[in-house]
Amino acid sequence: MRLLFLGDIVGRPGRTAVVERLPRLRERWSLDLVVINGENAAGGFGITEAICDEVLAAGADVITLGNHSFDQREALVFIERQPRLLRPANYPRGTPGRGATVVEARNGARVLVMNVMGRLFMDPLDDPFTVVAQELEACPLGAACDAVVIDMHAEATSEKQGLAAFVDGRASLVVGTHTHVPTADGRVLPGGTAYLSDAGMCGDYDSILGMQKDEPIRRFLEKTPGSRLEAASGEGTLAGIAVETDDATGLAHRVAHVRIGPHLAPSGPDFWE
């Protein structure tokens, strides 16, 4: 199976990059499944139903979220009727939406996609390790599904690595999101789980984490209230990870960083070209 995971969409540059490039990539790389984190898609803060529909129409199979899941209040309502939009599974009981879903990939495979949020330097949610273990017990790889993709939305690299080691051999891919900076440690772990500490963002990298530079710099200098952060407006870059899994086991056997656009060194899955 051929999987593509793209990092946090930030504002219009990220949305434009996805909408314009993803349809061609699906065909060029014969992708079976595409998962995208969209928690910053609406001007850098949350996601609207119109944007969700636009990203799904462009070729995403599932959209994951994070700590900005409900910055757009309409998400509290439409997330209930959109099964392909996931908020972190370790949000408290009663939170609208769902944290995991099983979707059918283009090749007919059943894929469990899960979204969890870390607790180090983040909001103190339920234990993500316990929640992941429960989901994997309910839908184990190789029995109830053919692949497992986990978006670990977290600040601390150690927590992301810890979760990946915890599920190594039981998931196809564990990928970190949230920091908007792509890491260089994409690899297959000893048990066969693909891993990347952070997928980076789909957005304008001539920015500060996808935002216009002036206000963040002012805040660093003055430490006083100021204007609202605004998404940068330059050309967006796609960033993420491409994973190929073994059909027999659902585990990964090769990965490649994906970077398409200005400001970052280009990278892609040469083994699919």
Side-chain angles (χ1 to χ4, degrees):
M1 186 185 306
R2 295 183 175 189
L3 312 175
L4 175 66
F5 185 97
L6 295 176
D8 310 36
I9 299 174
V10 182
R12 186 178 298 277
R15 301 197 310 267
T16 300
V18 168
V19 169
E20 290 183 352
R21 294 189 172 107
L22 181 56
R24 292 194 296 271
L25 291 179
R26 282 214 75 141
E27 299 308 315
R28 176 180 169 188
W29 293 340
S30 299
L31 295 170
D32 297 305
L33 187 84
V34 176
V35 181
I36 305 177
N37 186 290
E39 72 138 12
N40 303 115
F45 300 95
I47 190 169
T48 65
E49 186 168 20
I51 291 172
C52 178
D53 291 344
E54 181 183 39
V55 174
L56 291 173
D61 295 292
V62 179
I63 300 172
T64 54
L65 298 170
N67 57 302
H68 292 291
S69 293
F70 301 110
D71 282 9
Q72 304 295 323
R73 294 184 64 84
E74 66 180 86
L76 291 164
V77 177
F78 81 80
I79 196 171
E80 291 281 11
R81 60 176 179 264
Q82 180 45 267
R84 294 196 287 163
L85 178 66
L86 303 181
R87 47 80 172 161
N90 55 327
Y91 269 5
R93 184 182 299 274
T95 302
R98 62 202 55 77
T101 189
V102 176
V103 296
E104 183 176 331
R106 186 168 287 188
N107 65 345
R110 301 158 300 165
V111 184
L112 170 64
V113 183
M114 196 185 322
N115 185 198
V116 292
M117 200 163 97
R119 296 192 294 181
L120 296 179
F121 315 113
M122 304 280 284
D123 292 336
L125 302 183
D126 296 342
D127 176 20
F129 288 76
T130 299
V131 170
V132 166
Q134 291 170 345
E135 292 288 350
L136 292 178
E137 183 177 355
C139 188
L141 178 64
C145 64
D146 303 300
V148 175
V149 176
I150 302 174
D151 174 356
M152 176 59 160
H153 196 78
E155 189 78 42
T157 303
S158 59
E159 195 173 18
K160 298 175 186 180
Q161 291 181 343
L163 184 76
F166 177 64
V167 303
D168 188 19
R170 296 185 288 163
S172 310
L173 168 65
V174 175
V175 57
T177 57
H178 179 62
T179 71
H180 296 191
V181 178
T183 56
D185 60 339
R187 63 194 188 278
V188 178
L189 300 179
T193 295
Y195 175 71
L196 180 64
S197 289
D198 204 284
M201 68 175 178
C202 295
D204 179 8
Y205 279 84
D206 184 17
S207 65
I208 296 178
L209 303 185
M211 297 297 179
Q212 295 178 15
K213 301 172 188 176
D214 290 349
E215 177 59 19
I217 291 173
R218 189 207 61 77
R219 293 186 187 187
F220 287 128
L221 290 171
E222 299 179 11
K223 296 294 183 182
T224 56
S227 59
R228 188 176 185 271
L229 295 175
E230 299 288 342
S233 57
E235 183 180 351
T237 292
L238 295 184
I241 185 171
V243 180
E244 186 169 290
T245 67
D246 179 80
D247 289 340
T249 64
L251 296 172
H253 58 84
R254 52 186 179 180
V255 303
H257 298 98
V258 174
R259 296 185 298 269
I260 304 173
H263 307 300
L264 301 181
S267 181
D270 294 339
F271 44 79
W272 290 344
E273 298 292 354

